[in-house]
Amino acid sequence: MAIAASGAYALGTFSLAGSPGFPGLVMDGKVLALAGLQPLSRRLGTPLTGIESLLTMLDDWAGNALALSRLADHLAGCWTHGQGLPAEPVDVGRLRVHAPIERPRQFFCSGANYRKHVIDLIVDQRGDPATQGMSADECRAYAVRLMDERAERGAPYIFTKPWSAIAGPYDPIRIPGHVEQPDWELELAVVIGKPCYRVSRDEARDCIAGYTIVNDITNRARVHRQDLKALGTDWVMGKGLPGFSPMGPYLVPASQVPDPQDLRITLKLNGRVMQDESTADMIFTIPRLIEYLSSQVQLWPGDILITGSPAGNGTHFGRYLKPGDVLEGTIGGLGMQRNVCIASEAGMA
């Protein structure tokens, strides 16, 4: 992702040659360590705080967002006028790019939140008893009515996922031999920027620090418990494997994303487009999701909420991931992930 040197910026977590990870400012394909920018932020009158990691920075996001904006404007001016920079920028290609927030306090997922995706699932899986005996056309018409009713009178469905599943945006996806149906789900992720509890959807907008990308890899074979059907889904076993949540490459501040409900989500499998949808297809908007989640749950800075997967998952195509596959995922303005699937050593089922 190349960000023009016009005051626009993103944030990331990086390392070089096995060194400890560090938070950096990304502009025009270059990375400047925040530690090196701290003296300049003081001279500009808005000192950066908590720069040990992006997570600790988010504890004072209001102050740091202002500091970063002033830094980015100043640096853009330096680039434009050929002035010296306060720290040496490094080409992002020389660095290892980690997930921007590798260990969030909480990691939430919104399920069944894209209209076309859920309609396809209902038609493809026929898990709803009401669809038994229906033709494909009848089943699709039923699913459309169901989604219209849900959007008008329903509520979001949100669950948690272990943050130990988080990996970097270019890390390999390790597929153990016991995983039968590993599937892709490229999603827009929201990063919370301040404590919030029982906020309205209007107030929810002020709780967002920024956005990133998560591919919510899912072992479909483990999602529905056949031995305990009455208990429904088992998301932890289906989604919690190490590396099953490539995240990043960057945290793009909310100020840099004019309309998060109008972003293109595209996922390619071995060069073939599988998912290609707008975030406008969400059943419940991002503010509605935060309003609903915070109605019962205390949210903290750095919490991650992924907002659902659009249509085009492997379930729809009858095609699941296998070693050697290459996934490329993009969301407009947020960058690109590229992950190679590899076989993992045998582990616990």
Side-chain angles (χ1 to χ4, degrees):
M1 176 185 179
I3 296 179
S6 60
Y9 70 95
L11 299 166
T13 300
F14 309 94
S15 64
L16 178 63
S19 65
F22 65 89
L25 182 78
V26 187
M27 296 182 69
D28 200 24
K30 306 291 185 181
V31 177
L32 293 101
L34 294 184
L37 294 174
Q38 194 170 41
L40 174 60
S41 72
R42 294 194 185 102
R43 293 198 296 272
L44 294 175
T46 49
L48 291 168
T49 62
I51 60 170
E52 297 81 16
S53 70
L54 293 189
L55 181 61
T56 52
M57 282 194 68
L58 288 165
D59 285 332
D60 181 21
W61 179 244
N64 281 323
L66 177 60
L68 289 163
S69 178
R70 289 183 176 177
L71 279 168
D73 287 342
H74 179 86
L75 293 169
C78 292
W79 257 299
T80 301
H81 298 103
Q83 299 173 355
L85 296 173
E88 185 65 27
V90 179
D91 190 281
V92 70
R94 293 181 54 200
L95 301 171
R96 180 182 175 189
V97 183
H98 299 257
I101 301 176
E102 296 181 287
R103 297 184 178 185
R105 294 180 174 95
Q106 302 181 96
F107 188 7
F108 299 99
C109 308
S110 173
N113 195 39
Y114 275 76
R115 190 173 187 274
K116 294 176 186 175
H117 170 54
V118 180
I119 289 171
D120 282 347
L121 284 177
I122 291 172
V123 174
D124 295 339
Q125 296 185 349
R126 300 296 181 102
D128 186 335
T131 64
Q132 302 305 309
M134 289 184 178
S135 68
D137 289 342
E138 290 171 335
C139 186
R140 184 165 294 276
Y142 166 80
V144 168
R145 292 194 301 272
L146 203 64
M147 288 307 100
D148 289 343
E149 181 179 343
R150 183 169 179 238
E152 184 177 351
R153 291 185 289 274
Y157 177 61
I158 296 178
F159 55 94
T160 61
K161 182 171 181 173
W163 56 250
S164 59
I166 292 173
Y170 311 120
D171 290 349
I173 296 172
R174 300 180 184 278
I175 302 178
H178 68 268
V179 174
E180 300 171 38
Q181 297 178 337
D183 200 352
W184 56 86
E185 295 190 31
L186 197 66
E187 307 194 20
L188 175 65
V190 177
V191 182
I192 299 298
K194 69 177 185 180
C196 56
Y197 179 62
R198 300 188 68 80
V199 298
S200 70
R201 64 193 72 181
D202 290 333
E203 296 169 323
R205 292 179 173 85
D206 295 330
C207 298
I208 300 171
Y211 302 92
T212 188
I213 305 171
V214 169
N215 195 345
D216 181 25
I217 306 298
T218 303
N219 179 13
R220 299 290 180 196
R222 294 299 297 265
V223 168
H224 298 285
R225 290 288 294 264
Q226 299 303 310
D227 57 333
L228 296 169
K229 291 184 179 181
L231 296 183
T233 50
D234 190 343
W235 295 118
V236 171
M237 293 295 104
K239 294 174 177 282
L241 279 76
F244 266 36
S245 290
M247 179 188 291
Y250 308 126
L251 189 168
V252 179
S255 62
Q256 312 286 327
V257 183
D259 186 358
Q261 301 294 163
D262 187 25
L263 301 176
R264 201 77 192 174
I265 297 179
T266 305
L267 181 134
K268 295 180 181 179
L269 172 66
N270 302 329
R272 177 188 173 191
V273 174
M274 310 302 278
Q275 291 182 283
D276 187 20
E277 187 57 78
S278 169
T279 54
D281 194 48
M282 285 187 195
I283 298 169
F284 302 106
T285 64
I286 293 164
R288 175 71 178 100
L289 293 174
I290 294 174
E291 177 187 61
Y292 176 77
L293 178 58
S294 73
S295 70
Q296 305 295 326
V297 176
Q298 173 71 60
L299 301 181
W300 300 104
D303 286 353
I304 304 294
L305 168 62
I306 58 177
T307 54
S309 174
N313 303 119
T315 302
H316 180 65
F317 294 103
R319 164 66 157 92
Y320 298 103
L321 295 172
K322 59 180 184 290
D325 284 341
V326 178
L327 290 170
E328 295 174 299
T330 62
I331 298 182
L334 303 186
M336 184 187 80
Q337 300 183 346
R338 187 179 189 277
N339 306 99
V340 178
C341 298
I342 64 173
S344 174
E345 294 181 5
M348 295 178 63

